Amino acid sequence: MDGIYFAGVEGGATHSTLIIANGNGEIVAKVNGDGTNHWMVGIPEVARRIAAMASEAKQAANIPDTVKFKCIGLSLSGCEQDTTNAALEREIKKEFPGLSEGYVVCSDTLGSILTVSNLGGVVVIAGTGSNAFLRNPNGETFQCGGWGHAIGDEGGAWWIAFKAVKTIFDDDDNLEKCPYDTTVVWNLVKSHFNIEHRRDMLEHCYASFQKSFYARLCQKMSVAASNGDELCQSIFTDAGRQLAKMISALTPKVDKALIDAGHLSIICVGSVWLSWELLRKGFIKELNKHKIPFELRLLQLKPNVSMAVGAYYMAADSLNFPMPRDYSQNYEIFFNYDGHKLTNGKEYLNGN
């Protein structure tokens, strides 16, 4: 299978990854680039960034730039609509005709699932934004969340940062007093946004709003929460609850064929999941409110595995190309939840 190459792109709001694999499923190059959400930067810029990453990856793999991919799978944030997905494909074909023979465009949620299984499953993304997505073996799909910060993004990094800022404002306005000391969070906000007064924050909320920059406050809050700040801890607990609510909303729509083994795999993607111990309490408490009739297994991709792998699997499958793969090498289980084992809803607060 020499000379046959597929590519897959994992595209987020803040950064992207492109991988080239040969016909044997072996990765020959992997490069990183800027965000490729077309709602944020526009379809022409997304096309340009993908082409630039592809050229860089080909150079790294010593593949002539004139060699076309057999197919490229684009698993991108914001690609949930057939019309805009088709528009992106047209743009790339028009502006970069030598890039690939074929294209498959889908959302980042589907790419995550395809990295761990060709049957389906659930993915919960908690990065800059948030989204939960179910794919059943028959191809049916269902979504909860993923509507962006103007409507949702609960449990994502932007939402966590926003909750911190909102709490400060409400407490100072005497609109809703915070039960915790706000000093640490207010100092984090001032430092992160380089402001001194609350009114200075309006620039970052409106005229110069940058969702990704705003969301980076979340990482600093995670450190503060781990160091014992109660307000930060409470916000992460609430974020865990929000992510569990998304899962609970999708479980009634899970096809029986997906849980033949007695469990449902949930792929957890995004930087917020790195703070699992801070999310855990709220996550479990929310699940305990629901009667979920099967075990949940929370998976995370292994450290060096990108959902771009699922994207190039998808590209190969679109051509019925027999690319070898071992899904078990792409993920690890970090938490099991089985509601049937609960006694008064308390086991998981201290245990598994």
Side-chain angles (χ1 to χ4, degrees):
M1 298 186 189
D2 292 338
I4 296 176
Y5 299 101
F6 292 86
V9 178
E10 169 191 355
T14 56
H15 64 273
S16 303
T17 299
L18 184 144
I19 290 176
I20 298 177
N22 62 23
N24 296 315
E26 300 164 333
I27 294 175
V28 297
K30 178 179 179 180
V31 298
N32 297 315
D34 294 328
T36 47
N37 184 317
H38 68 84
W39 295 114
M40 300 180 70
V41 299
I43 286 177
E45 179 62 13
V46 169
R48 189 196 67 77
R49 292 180 182 187
I50 289 169
M53 284 191 292
S55 181
E56 181 183 350
K58 284 180 179 179
Q59 185 176 7
N62 293 317
I63 299 171
D65 208 36
T66 53
V67 173
K68 287 187 176 183
F69 299 124
K70 294 297 291 183
C71 188
I72 180 168
L74 303 175
S75 177
L76 311 180
S77 171
C79 282
E80 285 86 16
Q81 294 177 276
D82 291 341
T83 52
T84 51
N85 292 358
L88 174 59
E89 182 177 343
R90 287 196 301 270
E91 179 71 15
I92 298 175
K93 286 179 176 179
K94 174 186 173 184
E95 297 297 328
F96 307 99
L99 182 59
S100 180
E101 295 177 15
Y103 296 87
V104 187
V105 186
C106 70
S107 72
D108 52 348
T109 48
L110 181 56
S112 301
I113 292 172
L114 295 176
T115 305
V116 303
S117 172
N118 62 350
L119 293 178
V122 171
V123 58
V124 182
I125 295 179
T128 302
S130 65
N131 193 5
F133 184 85
L134 162 67
R135 183 178 189 270
N136 282 320
N138 63 5
E140 277 187 315
T141 60
F142 300 93
Q143 178 180 336
C144 180
W147 305 113
H149 69 279
I151 299 175
D153 272 349
E154 292 87 352
W158 177 84
W159 182 88
I160 290 170
F162 167 76
K163 286 278 287 186
V165 174
K166 174 68 169 163
T167 299
I168 294 296
F169 274 62
D170 286 353
D171 184 73
D172 282 359
D173 284 346
N174 203 32
L175 178 66
E176 184 172 349
K177 297 304 293 182
C178 180
Y180 309 107
D181 185 357
T182 61
T183 303
V184 170
V185 170
W186 177 227
N187 285 336
L188 287 177
V189 171
K190 289 193 293 183
S191 173
H192 181 74
F193 293 100
N194 191 27
I195 62 174
E196 287 295 330
H197 306 287
R198 284 194 299 157
R199 289 192 179 277
D200 298 335
M201 190 65 205
L202 299 180
E203 176 76 17
H204 297 281
C205 294
Y206 301 103
S208 301
F209 175 72
Q210 295 182 39
K211 183 178 177 180
S212 58
F213 174 71
Y214 201 123
R216 290 188 197 116
L217 175 64
C218 176
Q219 194 277 331
K220 298 173 183 178
M221 291 175 59
S222 175
V223 174
S226 298
N227 289 337
D229 182 72
E230 292 182 302
L231 176 52
C232 288
Q233 289 174 345
S234 72
I235 293 174
F236 273 94
T237 296
D238 195 16
R241 184 176 67 85
Q242 298 292 340
L243 297 174
K245 283 178 69 176
M246 292 183 184
I247 293 171
S248 299
L250 291 175
T251 52
K253 299 171 182 177
V254 173
D255 191 283
K256 290 182 180 179
L258 194 56
I259 52 171
D260 273 347
H263 66 266
L264 176 68
S265 294
I266 300 172
I267 305 98
C268 302
V269 177
S271 58
V272 173
W273 287 107
L274 298 175
S275 300
W276 165 244
E277 290 305 321
L278 299 173
L279 303 169
R280 179 179 174 131
K281 181 179 178 181
F283 186 89
I284 294 169
K285 281 190 173 182
E286 181 61 35
L287 288 183
N288 288 351
K289 297 177 183 178
H290 306 271
K291 295 181 179 179
I292 299 175
F294 41 80
E295 180 184 348
L296 304 179
R297 290 187 178 178
L298 270 59
L299 317 178
Q300 59 187 2
L301 299 183
K302 289 185 176 180
N304 293 321
V305 176
S306 161
M307 70 176 75
V309 172
Y312 73 69
Y313 288 167
M314 176 178 66
D317 291 345
S318 73
L319 301 178
N320 294 316
F321 186 88
M323 178 180 285
R325 68 198 72 177
D326 182 355
Y327 290 107
S328 66
Q329 296 301 308
N330 295 338
Y331 68 87
E332 53 195 12
I333 301 169
F334 70 91
F335 182 72
N336 292 300
Y337 177 91
D338 190 344
H340 292 294
K341 295 180 180 179
L342 294 175
T343 302
N344 297 323
K346 295 180 179 178
E347 252 83 345
Y348 286 99
L349 295 183
N350 300 309
N352 197 9

